Amino acid sequence: MSRLATGWVSIHPLRRTWRLHISAKNSPRALLIRKRLRIQFGSWRKDLLITHKRPSPHTIKAKIRIRSQKNRYTIGPLIGILTVAGGGRFRGVQSNFIDIIETGRKKGAFVYVVPIENIDWKSKTVQGYLFYSKEKKWIKERLPLPHVLYNRIPNRMFEEQAHVKAALEQLSTMRNLTLYNPQFFNKQQLYAALQRDPDITPYLPQTVTFTSKAQLYHMLSSYSFVYIKPVNGMAGKGIYRVQKITNGDYLVQYQEQDDTVSKRFSSKGEVWTYLAPLIKHNYVIQQGIDLATFDNKLFDVRLLAQKNGRGEWEVTGAGIRLAGAGKITTHVPRGGSIQPPEDILMAAFPHIAPRHLLTSVRRMALRIARSLEKEWQTLGEVSMDIGIDKNMNIWFIEANAKPGKFDEPHIRKLSLQRIVEYAQHKAKFIEVGES
């Protein structure tokens, strides 16, 4: 049976000397008497000088775990943040990458950035990027393919490139390597997957692929309003709201930058004539939900579910996204704002304790995460938008397989910890009883 000890790895940014810093208190005696430790990952080998001193502040350093089995040692987990090359080094939100690296450094994981184009498939190594926090700069270094790759390819355009798709396929089949998360969700595929789960269907607004005039007419006859959304849309971009108003006219609304544009039509035919050139392909049409409001503004619950250090789904946090005045969606880039759940829910539903509503939302979110995992087996985290209508019914609205960071500090902190803890679990660098 393997045992875990803890230590620190440090790398001098100029000399590139690697050291393993261990304490006499928690390290195997066989390791304490060594002067060097050779670490090997495939064809990548590195001799670590063993020292009992603390790492120098002038080095790149990370707390790591040391696994011993039959007098053989490995260190880890090694976590790669997977992205694509470009922009001088790599693409993606560097501040987010740094937060993950720093969390790993404190919690026990060696984290670096892995651009797909920098992978040497023959040697199973990569020209990766380490972050030197003292000087706030990136250091390029030959590194092994890690135990876990956290997929942060920044958008669908890069994800659809042939070499990226081929690399993702190859990485997903490699032994001793865990790749998560899957590709960006497609709304059409997302709803099709959820509609196959009878436990989830009561929470789903009717959502169909938008293919014809007859379909638009049917949905407008069935519901008081509908949303027309791009299959691969993000942040509320390209969404249209169509509503039948009191005198039989129809109101079409969409958001352009910070403004809500409204256009009025006297018939469904006029609506179709207007929308048809704008919606050429890859859209869904969805039943509108009469969401609860606060101060006459729509709101929904943005929630993050992640796998923990036991590989189990947990809700990391939830917050309210409140639409701007007159806005048709709650997205923050479209004028929405972030609000504490308890205050908004108490005002909108004064006859029920906010914690009861939030408990119901969290339970539903966990069911959805488990259901999505059946379709996308490498799913390790997912953010969701959950709506609550004026009758307190709960509705699934949207999910994102590549969640952006939550601005609420307590959610952000826990989300970073869970990225590291899940990697420790998948790489088997976690003690029994840890979570």
Side-chain angles (χ1 to χ4, degrees), residues 217-396:
Y217 287 10
H218 173 73
M219 291 291 282
L220 286 175
S221 298
S222 301
Y223 304 107
S224 57
F225 67 97
V226 299
Y227 280 98
I228 300 169
K229 301 178 178 181
V231 163
N232 291 322
M234 292 183 69
K237 187 175 182 180
I239 293 177
Y240 296 88
R241 185 183 192 272
V242 186
Q243 179 182 10
K244 188 173 183 178
I245 51 183
T246 50
N247 62 355
D249 286 355
Y250 292 86
L251 185 66
V252 177
Q253 294 177 296
Y254 62 93
Q255 289 182 205
E256 195 170 78
Q257 302 300 327
D258 292 333
D259 298 323
T260 301
V261 179
S262 300
K263 295 186 179 293
R264 193 171 182 141
F265 302 96
S266 60
S267 68
K268 287 184 281 192
E270 288 186 8
V271 172
W272 170 257
T273 300
Y274 173 72
L275 287 176
L278 303 173
I279 303 171
K280 298 184 186 299
H281 53 79
N282 292 335
Y283 272 74
V284 295
I285 184 166
Q286 186 175 82
Q287 168 192 353
I289 304 300
D290 191 17
L291 291 175
T293 61
F294 172 80
D295 196 22
N296 293 319
K297 300 172 184 176
L298 304 173
F299 69 84
D300 59 25
V301 181
R302 171 69 58 83
L303 178 145
L304 178 63
Q306 293 176 292
K307 287 196 168 181
N308 60 21
R310 299 182 300 275
E312 299 167 350
W313 286 104
E314 284 195 70
V315 172
T316 300
I320 293 289
R321 300 299 183 262
L322 181 67
K327 305 298 184 184
I328 64 170
T329 74
T330 64
H331 297 91
V332 172
R334 303 283 155 186
S337 62
I338 300 166
Q339 303 292 335
E342 290 77 9
D343 295 349
I344 301 296
L345 292 175
M346 188 177 295
F349 305 106
H351 303 300
I352 186 169
R355 68 177 183 277
H356 294 322
L357 267 178
L358 284 172
T359 296
S360 298
V361 168
R362 287 168 177 263
R363 285 174 180 163
M364 188 193 80
L366 290 174
R367 286 182 201 162
I368 289 171
R370 295 181 189 115
S371 183
L372 291 174
E373 188 184 6
K374 295 174 187 175
E375 186 76 15
W376 291 279
Q377 288 84 11
T378 63
L379 193 66
E381 62 179 357
V382 58
S383 65
M384 302 177 209
D385 294 340
I386 306 296
I388 306 172
D389 69 22
K390 292 178 180 176
N391 294 317
M392 291 195 302
N393 298 309
I394 299 172
W395 297 87
F396 170 82

Side-chain angles (χ1 to χ4, degrees), residues 21-65:
H21 305 258
I22 59 173
S23 166
K25 292 182 180 179
N26 66 352
S27 300
R29 184 174 180 279
L31 186 60
L32 291 171
I33 62 177
R34 292 186 181 214
K35 294 183 178 180
R36 292 175 182 267
L37 180 67
R38 171 160 286 192
I39 298 296
Q40 183 170 344
F41 293 87
S43 64
W44 184 89
R45 298 176 181 84
K46 188 66 64 175
D47 285 328
L48 280 64
L49 299 173
I50 294 178
T51 176
H52 306 302
K53 297 179 180 178
R54 295 177 63 85
S56 164
H58 301 285
T59 60
I60 301 163
K61 57 186 179 295
K63 187 177 181 181
I64 51 88
R65 296 176 175 203

Side-chain angles (χ1 to χ4, degrees), residues 4 52 93 110 125 236 332 379:
L4 290 181
H52 306 302
V93 182
F110 187 59
T125 62
V332 172
L379 193 66

Side-chain angles (χ1 to χ4, degrees), residues 55-75:
S56 164
H58 301 285
T59 60
I60 301 163
K61 57 186 179 295
K63 187 177 181 181
I64 51 88
R65 296 176 175 203
I66 307 159
R67 187 165 60 208
S68 61
Q69 191 169 24
K70 295 180 179 178
N71 212 29
R72 296 182 63 184
Y73 299 91
T74 55
I75 62 170

